Amino acid sequence: MPLDAVCLRAVLDELRPQIVGARIDKVQQPARDQVILLLRGNKRLLLNAGAGSPRIQLTEQLRDNPAEPPMFCMLLRKHLVGGRVAEVIQPGLERLAELAIDITDDFGQPGRRTLVLEAMGRHSNLILLDGDRRIIDCLRRVDAEMSPQRQVLPGLYYQLPPTHGKAFLPDVTEEDFLASLDGANPDEKLDGFLLDRYFGVSPLIAREMVFRACGETDGRVFGLDDAGRARLWQSFRSVAELPETGGFTPVCLKKDGKFFDYTYLPIAQYGSLMEQTKYPTFSALMDDYYESRERQERVRQRGADLVRTATSARDRMRRKLAQQEKDYAETQDRDRLRICGDLITANLYRMERGQRTLTCQNYYDENCADVTIPLDPLLTPQQNAAKYYKKYAKAKTAEKYLREQMAIARRDEAYLDSVLEEIARAETEQDFLDIRNELRDAGFLRRSGKDKKELKRAAKPREFRTSGGFLVQVGRNNRQNDKLTLKDADYRDLWFHTQKIHGTHAVLRCAGQQPSDQDLTEAAMLAAYFSQAKDSANVPVDCTQVRNVKKPAGARPGMVVYTDFRTLYVTPEEELVKRLAAGK
């Protein structure tokens, strides 16, 4: 887990001068495990008690709040709104952060509340304490059945989690460290030795200590000579002193351009296999690191049923299309049926009822080769001929019908693929509600009296500002794409879309002005970034004026045709997208 005890100390040291003394104006709970304290001075303090991403940070990301605030959020509002952050404490070197908040109670008397974040993986929790450190309530209640050693319930006095007998890093002396090495199993791996005995060490940092001492991460105790023991102690000491001396460096590790891990000091163990990026603050680092992960989690939690519905409908459409194509291929052999009918008619004088086959010359063949025609012995020769003519007429009619149905099936398959792409890009609760309504209107999702009511505010397109100052609007879903392109945009604006790739509509609002090549490239890059080709290079993006974009009659939402276009080739860059969003 990235946020170990030492990393949490680094984060709190960074936050302390920024939030101590700040007044709490609002409390929000955008997700079950997330609480945001809106502090005076336009600061947003995020406390996340999720199992996979526990942390505390200042965030710049705006999160959508539910229509009905949860009960824990209402409780925090009652106790904390109007209070001031008095202290930010980390007891010992625990993975705990305590916010001591000075408040005024309902009777006008000064008091104190403490909001405790326990950032301990799947045991993470958010707990509100009164002035006597008695639990008022918590995000997750822990009773005796769940944990006989430590209960977290309203009315109980708060107790720190057990340390399991591990030593705190700053308290370890060289003599104690070397004595522990002497008593260790010679076959024990060194990173396991550090993890098992010392509090505040994460697996990443344990491997880094071993690498700095031994030049490899899988060293064992028996492989250490006196010089190696001394190097391991120095490596251990350099980390153990950081909580007291500071000097933390926010570092993010990326593999193949994707976020892999983060920590508080430069990492050498991966060599050139991992790219290291230094950030100005831990808050900025965590905003970037968790952004895509939280988006995927939102899609998993809120969009799981939508993904299941759209995927099932698309797969059903593909099976239907495969059968239609098979039937269509059979209709292409219909001339053989007509020829069989003609040959039976021409040879009626030779035939008798009850025959199973007819062997005759095929006068349609240049060589008049013999051909054998299967017959139904229960039918007369005339009825057999009529049967072949009927099959021929049916195949001829089916060809036209199947061609139309296959076009509809391909259209619906492409539409459902675009919906799945929308769900992957969805960010807010309103985005999911819009997609749900779109699927209902398209007939792929049943309407129900228990449907969740929509938020009153309408979702707006994403907005960006190019280097030249032009506004670029990017649709969030198919219905919004139609509205943006066909209703809101000026006919002189420029329209962008990835070529033959599912994606969103992007409109460069220039209204007749002449944007630079740089502006066009940035708008095309935004269209490529919000498409299925987000992780590709040299993505083809078509650009044309809005006046050249039309919607065919009966087309699904988001489906348009366009003419008089030029194609730009761009490579999406996440950093540029963020810069253009900030420029807005």
Side-chain angles (χ1 to χ4, degrees):
M1 185 181 69
L3 194 66
D4 58 19
V6 179
C7 191
L8 180 59
R9 173 67 62 87
V11 174
L12 296 183
D13 288 349
E14 174 184 289
L15 293 178
R16 197 170 285 112
Q18 301 183 66
I19 67 175
V20 170
R23 185 180 185 273
I24 300 176
D25 290 335
K26 293 182 180 180
V27 178
Q28 299 173 343
Q29 190 174 351
R32 180 179 182 274
D33 300 321
Q34 295 181 357
V35 168
I36 294 179
L37 305 181
L38 275 68
L39 306 179
R40 185 67 56 87
N42 198 27
K43 297 176 181 177
R44 304 170 61 84
L45 183 65
L46 169 68
L47 296 97
N48 190 313
S53 55
R55 65 192 186 278
I56 178 173
Q57 64 168 110
L58 288 173
T59 181
E60 298 292 333
Q61 295 179 11
L62 299 179
R63 292 166 171 81
D64 196 61
N65 294 301
E68 298 291 337
M71 292 300 297
F72 188 67
C73 178
M74 299 296 291
L75 178 74
L76 294 180
R77 289 177 180 178
K78 174 184 176 182
H79 287 274
L80 302 184
V81 171
R84 292 184 181 274
V85 180
E87 293 181 278
V88 179
I89 306 167
Q90 182 185 18
L93 203 59
E94 298 273 2
R95 283 183 289 170
L96 304 177
E98 296 186 2
L99 299 181
I101 302 167
D102 290 335
I103 57 105
T104 301
D105 62 20
D106 295 337
F107 301 100
Q109 299 298 317
R112 173 162 286 195
R113 298 290 182 267
T114 303
L115 188 59
V116 181
L117 171 67
E118 297 184 346
M120 300 184 297
R122 61 189 181 91
H123 300 296
S124 298
N125 208 343
L126 201 57
I127 307 167
L128 181 64
L129 311 179
D130 64 14
D132 298 325
R133 295 186 67 80
R134 194 188 296 266
I135 299 173
I136 299 176
D137 208 344
C138 52
L139 202 60
R140 296 184 180 87
R141 297 183 178 183
V142 182
D143 57 24
E145 291 184 0
M146 300 169 65
S147 175
Q149 294 81 17
R150 178 175 180 260
Q151 289 81 52
V152 183
L153 295 169
L156 300 180
Y157 284 103
Y158 178 72
Q159 298 177 353
L160 292 176
T163 62
H164 303 292
K166 295 184 180 181
F168 286 98
L169 288 183
D171 299 337
V172 179
T173 64
E174 183 176 4
E175 291 76 13
D176 294 337
F177 182 81
L178 296 178
S180 295
L181 268 178
D182 292 336
N185 185 340
D187 291 329
E188 186 175 4
K189 295 185 67 173
L190 290 173
D191 59 337
F193 163 82
L194 297 173
L195 286 170
D196 292 341
R197 290 166 177 78
Y198 301 106
F199 204 78
V201 179
S202 67
L204 173 65
I205 297 302
R207 292 195 303 270
E208 183 64 18
M209 291 180 187
V210 176
F211 182 81
R212 293 183 178 186
C214 307
E216 58 182 3
T217 58
D218 56 354
R220 298 182 182 272
V221 174
F222 70 80
L224 289 178
D225 54 16
D226 291 341
R229 289 156 56 93
R231 289 194 301 271
L232 183 61
W233 162 247
Q234 290 300 325
S235 177
F236 178 89
R237 181 183 178 187
S238 65
V239 174
E241 290 178 343
L242 284 176
E244 303 298 331
T245 62
F248 299 105
T249 303
V251 175
C252 186
L253 304 176
K254 295 182 180 180
K255 184 176 182 180
D256 298 329
K258 296 182 179 180
F259 289 99
F260 178 78
D261 210 337
Y262 70 85
T263 187
Y264 50 85
L265 52 83
I267 300 297
Q269 60 187 275
Y270 296 112
S272 60
L273 298 177
M274 205 74 65
E275 175 189 351
Q276 298 193 44
T277 305
K278 294 183 180 180
Y279 279 76
T281 64
F282 282 98
S283 292
L285 185 157
M286 288 188 281
D287 258 357
D288 281 357
Y289 181 84
Y290 288 107
E291 180 183 10
S292 59
R293 178 179 295 187
E294 288 187 347
R295 187 187 303 118
Q296 294 171 359
E297 183 66 16
R298 283 194 297 272
V299 171
R300 188 186 67 81
Q301 291 180 350
R302 302 180 186 177
D305 59 330
L306 294 178
V307 171
R308 186 165 53 250
T309 298
T311 302
S312 298
R314 184 196 60 186
D315 293 344
R316 184 168 61 250
M317 199 63 61
R318 286 178 175 174
R319 291 193 297 270
K320 179 180 179 181
L321 180 59
Q323 183 60 45
Q324 289 173 341
E325 290 174 342
K326 180 180 178 181
D327 294 341
Y328 183 81
E330 292 177 356
T331 65
Q332 302 307 296
D333 192 32
R334 63 180 181 274
D335 283 343
R336 180 184 61 82
L337 300 173
R338 178 180 57 81
I339 292 173
C340 288
D342 290 348
L343 294 177
I344 293 174
T345 302
N347 289 275
L348 286 176
Y349 70 94
R350 300 175 49 211
M351 299 175 60
E352 297 179 0
R353 184 166 185 164
Q355 284 186 231
R356 294 184 177 273
T357 60
L358 169 65
T359 301
C360 62
Q361 288 183 334
N362 181 7
Y363 53 80
Y364 286 96
D365 185 70
E366 293 181 356
N367 301 319
C368 292
D370 287 347
V371 62
T372 299
I373 301 172
L375 301 174
D376 187 341
L378 299 179
L379 300 179
T380 65
Q382 293 85 350
Q383 289 174 329
N384 271 292
K387 182 178 179 181
Y388 275 105
Y389 285 133
K390 184 177 181 180
K391 286 183 178 180
Y392 169 76
K394 184 177 180 181
K396 188 175 181 180
T397 304
E399 180 185 29
K400 178 182 177 182
Y401 174 79
L402 286 170
R403 190 184 297 117
E404 296 173 352
Q405 292 301 309
M406 286 192 297
I408 295 174
R410 291 191 183 100
R411 180 200 67 181
D412 288 346
E413 180 187 6
Y415 169 72
L416 290 167
D417 280 335
S418 71
V419 170
L420 288 170
E421 180 64 21
E422 287 177 23
I423 297 172
R425 295 195 308 266
E427 297 173 349
T428 66
E429 183 72 14
Q430 187 63 44
D431 289 345
F432 289 104
L433 290 175
D434 289 344
I435 296 171
R436 188 181 301 275
N437 289 331
E438 181 182 327
L439 286 173
R440 290 197 192 102
D441 293 342
F444 293 107
L445 192 63
R446 291 184 179 180
R447 296 186 179 274
S448 170
K450 297 181 180 180
D451 290 337
K452 189 174 182 179
K453 64 179 181 179
E454 296 187 31
L455 300 179
K456 294 182 180 179
R457 57 187 180 278
K460 297 181 179 180
R462 298 179 180 90
E463 293 187 348
F464 304 86
R465 189 72 65 173
T466 67
S467 301
F470 289 92
L471 176 66
V472 180
Q473 292 182 304
V474 178
R476 294 177 179 270
N477 52 66
N478 284 321
R479 292 202 301 185
Q480 194 177 87
N481 286 337
D482 283 349
K483 183 175 183 298
L484 173 63
T485 301
L486 305 173
K487 293 184 178 181
D488 296 345
D490 186 278
Y491 70 95
R492 296 166 295 177
D493 292 338
L494 294 177
W495 180 86
F496 296 82
H497 194 282
T498 46
Q499 186 182 87
K500 299 180 181 179
I501 300 173
H502 291 297
T504 188
H505 295 197
V507 174
L508 178 63
R509 307 301 289 266
C510 53
Q513 300 181 37
Q514 185 59 42
S516 66
D517 290 343
Q518 178 68 19
D519 296 321
L520 295 177
T521 300
E522 290 174 351
M525 192 274 298
L526 289 169
Y529 183 82
F530 292 100
S531 75
Q532 283 185 332
K534 174 182 178 181
D535 299 322
S536 303
N538 292 323
V539 181
V541 179
D542 292 338
C543 168
T544 186
Q545 284 192 317
V546 169
R547 74 175 83 195
N548 299 323
V549 183
K550 308 297 180 184
K551 189 172 186 67
R556 291 290 190 186
M559 303 299 177
V560 295
V561 294
Y562 52 93
T563 57
D564 299 330
F565 60 90
R566 58 181 289 200
T567 303
L568 306 175
Y569 291 86
V570 296
T571 299
E573 298 177 10
E574 186 173 0
E575 293 299 326
L576 181 58
V577 172
K578 293 178 180 178
R579 180 170 63 80
L580 298 180
K584 178 196 66 173

